[in-house]
Amino acid sequence: MLGINFNTVDLMSKALDASELRNEVISNNIANVDTPGFKRSDVNFESILNDAINSNKLAGFVTDKNHIPINSTSIDNIEPQIVQDNSTSMRLDGNNVDIDVEMSNLAKNQLYYSALAQRVSGELNSILTAIKDGGN
């Protein structure tokens, strides 16, 4: 049997979803840069994932029905969360959006998404190669 771990692809897929959501949130922040009283939002995913990893909450990978399952939380239970920043105010009208910070965050997120997409593609190509070579 192939030792392919689809959890890696699933986890990267979750990270792609979180990055896509972050892109929407940052775009909303930028669109509301001049809206009085608007408070910027961000997406919390990486710290949720780190907490799950560090507290050993992620389920172990079982390759045989006779293996003992490790932990109980699956990747499916890890979801990005939108959080609003109510602690700061950039202007007198209560808006806390800094356009330079948001544009920088958008560029950073786009690079992150691109790197993740390339990595997922590489993983899937590896799986495809293993399948093709398995017949030889």
Side-chain angles (χ1 to χ4, degrees), residues 110-131:
Q110 288 169 342
L111 289 171
Y112 177 70
Y113 184 90
S114 178
L116 276 171
Q118 287 178 354
R119 189 67 190 119
V120 168
S121 177
E123 285 290 322
L124 294 176
N125 282 333
S126 295
I127 292 168
L128 185 60
T129 299
I131 291 169

Side-chain angles (χ1 to χ4, degrees), residues 17-62:
D17 291 344
S19 182
E20 182 180 348
L21 178 61
R22 183 173 287 123
N23 197 66
E24 292 173 18
V25 167
I26 293 169
S27 295
N28 186 55
N29 291 343
I30 292 169
N32 285 286
V33 68
D34 292 325
T35 304
F38 181 83
K39 298 297 184 184
R40 69 175 300 279
S41 295
D42 198 3
V43 174
N44 183 10
F45 175 72
E46 289 78 6
S47 63
I48 293 171
L49 179 61
N50 281 336
D51 289 346
I53 291 170
N54 291 335
S55 63
N56 294 321
K57 290 183 180 175
L58 288 180
F61 183 65
V62 178

Side-chain angles (χ1 to χ4, degrees), residues 28-29 35-41 84-90 93-97:
N28 186 55
N29 291 343
T35 304
F38 181 83
K39 298 297 184 184
R40 69 175 300 279
S41 295
Q84 191 173 46
D85 179 7
N86 292 313
S87 64
T88 61
S89 185
M90 294 295 294
D93 67 1
N95 187 309
N96 66 352
V97 177

Side-chain angles (χ1 to χ4, degrees), residues 68-83:
I68 299 172
I70 304 169
N71 299 325
S72 59
T73 303
S74 73
I75 293 170
D76 295 334
N77 296 334
I78 298 174
E79 294 294 331
Q81 296 176 347
I82 298 175
V83 291

